[in-house]
Amino acid sequence: MMHPQRKLTGLIAAFSLPLLILGCGQNTSTDPYANGQKYPWAFQASGPAAQSLTPGVNTLQYEPVRSASNAWGPIEKNASNGSQAGGDGQPLTLGGKTYAQGFGTHAGSELVFSLLSNDVNCTRFTADIGIDDEVGERGSAVFQVLLGGTVAYTSPTLTGASDTQSIDIDITGKKELRLVVSDSGDGIAYDHADWADPKLMCATKPTTPVTPVTPVIPVTPTRHFDYVAVDQALKVYDIDDGYKLVKTIALPGMGSPRGIAANAETDRLYLPYFGDRNDPKYKGQPTFGYVLALDLKTDKVIWTRKYSPSIDSMAITPDGKKLYMGAGEDAGGDFWFVLDGLNGDEITRIPVYKNAHNTIVGASGKKVYMASVSLNYLTVADTATDKVSLEVGPFARPVKDSGLRPFTINGAETLAFVNPDHFSGFEIGDLKTGKMLYSVPVKGFPWKDETPSVQSHGVSLSPDEKEAWVVDAYNRKVHIFDISGLPAAAPVQVADIDVIDPADPKNLPKWINFTRDGRFVHVSTGAIIDTVTRKIVHKIDNTRYFAQIDFQGNEPVAAYSRYGLGYANQPTPASLP
């Protein structure tokens, strides 16, 4: 054993509910981490947990835990992680200072707390963090604080020799707190990570003698839904129940959708669409398109706005305050709209190039990535200033004025994966240097210079960023590449999947995305592919416009991009127990 055994009577009390031990055992080798040893442990609350939050300072270890996991035995309350058994930790100690309260965890851990309360609004989370003194100067880990699925804080890599970090995070209006520790890329050995003296600062909710207080929605299992936009409607499928159709939201007039974006912080979904713009009554007027905003709780349209010269696929910042939308590949728009997510008002414009089309906002919320179908560079702008800060490329341009089609980025926002026009495959750009790194043609399925002109129109990363899946409209296939060697090694093609639709051979695959947990891949033909068997297991609507939204009861808790983003080193959202 690495450390002497010490009984911790509060371990079970720390979580208040039965524990699920996923792995345990004794290690008799000199190095307890030898041969990649892990002793994973997890806990899931069996039902809604009553909150005990009060006005003032609340010590976090007295609040009920919704779920928890750890890579090296149980998480310890008011003690260091110790070894793999429960109750074997030492007093929490960082930089020679001993803490009476907190959690002793290990790299590969997560603690999840609800911030919902009938009585108080919590405004700040504070803690001291670092590698516990019990491992000396060994160990290296990265701490993250997530609020409602959005990363609010990421520490530098901390080692046993690092100074203690004191954090103070604004949690005003947030529904969920996640405390995550990951290794720094060198394995989990000796990564004993402490959340010392963790506290929530809360204040009494204002009351009104007229309007009754809306009941807090109880904490319920997270459900995962696929929101699918088709002409005149939004269809909602239950991912956890075999993609069963659970409801259809009628949206009269919402014809020819061009994108979909949603935000769980503001409970809104947005749809850009062409609608009736080709009606003869508009003859001689400037071209335009529509955007509607939908309330995800009531399924009611909040507003509909017109934009000229046109609309296109859009993206939203993590806080839901800004929408970024190209001015339309169909109308030659040469800029991106920056819109107020609350009311759709135009804030400013970002000039780029004609035929503005696809858009991604990165996980950090600090950068927006823009692609024109007539420009072979990916354009990057800062969301704080809405000014262009980088151009990435050049990418392939076999035909004059050809540019970029769908693209995606990794979670760290260091790599872009783009589909150039007139190309079978994808290319990779460095989002730090602006240089193109690799051109990756599909082997055995070369470009065909005939209809459809855009053969590779869709690329998605697996959530763990180990694979890239690319659609092939000409051959009705999906091609799979191993990208785990990036950036040092080029991707390797490993499989090809036939997605031809027997009922409609002209149904071309033109978009692709993973579910957030990586279980399924959704192709625009309506094919749902099991990522383990790589077989089609369900068939739904033929459309490119779909996005996953997670709910607890009637409360949206997470919404994801339609652009097949990577999520490596980010915690997987809660699944059904």
Side-chain angles (χ1 to χ4, degrees), residues 243-562:
Y243 279 82
K244 177 182 178 181
L245 179 65
V246 294
K247 62 181 175 181
T248 299
I249 304 168
L251 297 171
M254 196 283 292
S256 301
R258 294 290 292 166
I260 185 170
N263 186 271
E265 291 296 317
T266 59
D267 303 331
R268 294 192 177 190
L269 179 144
Y270 303 87
L271 290 169
Y273 63 98
F274 288 154
D276 65 350
R277 72 175 196 171
N278 292 325
D279 191 295
K281 66 184 178 182
Y282 298 118
K283 185 177 181 180
Q285 297 184 23
T287 57
F288 65 89
Y290 298 94
V291 174
L292 71 77
L294 182 86
D295 188 318
L296 285 168
K297 289 177 155 182
T298 65
D299 295 338
K300 303 296 183 183
V301 175
I302 304 169
W303 51 257
T304 301
R305 302 286 298 267
K306 280 185 179 181
Y307 301 92
S308 290
S310 190
I311 52 80
D312 219 306
S313 187
M314 57 169 47
I316 190 166
T317 54
D319 60 11
K321 293 182 179 179
K322 282 185 177 181
L323 290 164
Y324 291 86
M325 178 178 69
E329 66 164 323
D330 63 294
D334 61 359
F335 63 90
W336 262 256
F337 289 102
V338 184
L339 306 176
D340 187 321
L342 178 65
N343 52 32
D345 286 350
E346 183 176 327
I347 298 172
T348 188
R349 297 179 176 186
I350 305 175
V352 178
Y353 200 73
K354 65 181 180 180
N355 301 326
H357 190 26
N358 285 304
T359 316
I360 291 174
V361 172
S364 69
K366 297 178 180 180
K367 302 286 185 182
V368 57
Y369 304 86
M370 301 166 286
S372 160
V373 299
S374 296
L375 180 67
N376 61 335
Y377 284 83
L378 184 67
T379 305
V380 186
D382 294 331
T383 57
T385 63
D386 294 323
K387 303 292 185 183
V388 172
S389 57
L390 181 69
E391 287 187 331
V392 184
F395 295 103
R397 196 177 211 179
V399 177
K400 182 181 178 182
D401 273 351
S402 66
L404 304 182
R405 295 293 179 159
F407 70 98
T408 190
I409 62 175
N410 63 347
E413 298 180 61
T414 58
L415 297 174
F417 302 74
V418 306
N419 287 141
D421 224 343
H422 304 279
F423 185 75
S424 175
F426 62 101
E427 295 186 325
I428 301 172
D430 188 319
L431 293 176
K432 299 303 179 184
T433 67
K435 304 297 184 182
M436 190 190 80
L437 297 179
Y438 297 103
S439 184
V440 188
V442 177
K443 294 180 180 179
F445 300 90
W447 163 255
K448 299 289 186 180
D449 191 18
E450 41 188 299
T451 303
S453 63
V454 185
Q455 184 165 328
S456 295
H457 193 283
V459 57
S460 179
L461 304 184
S462 59
D464 61 9
E465 299 179 12
K466 293 181 179 179
E467 292 181 341
W469 291 39
V470 184
V471 297
D472 181 339
Y474 182 85
N475 295 291
R476 281 52 161 195
K477 290 187 180 294
V478 173
H479 306 294
I480 304 175
F481 291 80
D482 181 344
I483 60 171
S484 59
L486 288 173
V492 177
Q493 189 172 338
V494 295
D496 308 289
I497 301 175
D498 190 345
V499 292
I500 192 169
D501 184 350
D504 182 8
K506 294 183 179 180
N507 184 1
L508 308 181
K510 301 298 281 286
W511 204 265
I512 189 168
N513 199 358
F514 279 76
T515 54
R516 175 60 183 86
D517 60 11
R519 288 183 297 162
F520 301 106
V521 164
H522 184 168
V523 182
S524 62
T525 58
I528 306 298
I529 301 173
D530 183 307
T531 57
V532 175
T533 64
R534 295 179 177 171
K535 302 293 185 183
I536 296 174
V537 292
H538 304 291
K539 177 69 168 66
I540 57 175
D541 307 88
N542 171 15
T543 176
R544 306 179 200 178
Y545 310 111
F546 47 87
Q548 179 179 331
I549 305 175
D550 296 345
F551 283 77
Q552 290 176 359
N554 192 45
E555 189 72 31
V557 294
Y560 303 101
S561 170
R562 67 181 282 254

Side-chain angles (χ1 to χ4, degrees), residues 107-327:
S109 66
E110 179 180 74
L111 282 160
V112 181
F113 301 87
S114 173
L115 297 176
L116 298 175
S117 170
N118 285 318
D119 304 317
V120 299
N121 290 321
C122 294
T123 58
R124 307 209 69 78
F125 166 67
T126 64
D128 285 353
I129 59 174
I131 302 297
D132 195 275
D133 287 3
E134 70 181 355
V135 298
E137 295 188 354
R138 295 174 294 189
S140 60
V142 175
F143 294 70
Q144 286 187 310
V145 178
L146 288 89
L147 302 173
T150 300
V151 177
Y153 169 79
T154 300
S155 75
T157 297
L158 300 181
T159 71
S162 299
D163 292 336
T164 301
Q165 303 286 306
S166 295
I167 60 174
D168 187 340
I169 310 297
D170 184 356
I171 59 173
T172 304
K174 303 305 180 181
K175 304 170 186 177
E176 181 185 79
L177 173 69
R178 289 175 180 254
L179 306 181
V180 177
V181 180
S182 58
D183 67 69
S184 61
D186 58 354
I188 68 169
Y190 300 100
D191 294 349
H192 293 214
D194 293 346
W195 298 91
D197 200 20
K199 294 177 179 177
L200 298 174
M201 313 324 170
C202 307
T204 303
K205 284 185 175 180
T207 58
T208 171
V210 178
T211 305
V213 176
T214 302
V216 174
I217 299 172
V219 177
T220 56
T222 301
R223 305 291 302 190
H224 311 91
F225 297 98
D226 199 358
Y227 275 65
V228 178
V230 297
D231 275 354
Q232 316 297 326
L234 192 61
K235 301 174 79 170
V236 183
Y237 293 89
D238 189 335
I239 297 172
D240 303 310
D241 191 16
Y243 279 82
K244 177 182 178 181
L245 179 65
V246 294
K247 62 181 175 181
T248 299
I249 304 168
L251 297 171
M254 196 283 292
S256 301
R258 294 290 292 166
I260 185 170
N263 186 271
E265 291 296 317
T266 59
D267 303 331
R268 294 192 177 190
L269 179 144
Y270 303 87
L271 290 169
Y273 63 98
F274 288 154
D276 65 350
R277 72 175 196 171
N278 292 325
D279 191 295
K281 66 184 178 182
Y282 298 118
K283 185 177 181 180
Q285 297 184 23
T287 57
F288 65 89
Y290 298 94
V291 174
L292 71 77
L294 182 86
D295 188 318
L296 285 168
K297 289 177 155 182
T298 65
D299 295 338
K300 303 296 183 183
V301 175
I302 304 169
W303 51 257
T304 301
R305 302 286 298 267
K306 280 185 179 181
Y307 301 92
S308 290
S310 190
I311 52 80
D312 219 306
S313 187
M314 57 169 47
I316 190 166
T317 54
D319 60 11
K321 293 182 179 179
K322 282 185 177 181
L323 290 164
Y324 291 86
M325 178 178 69

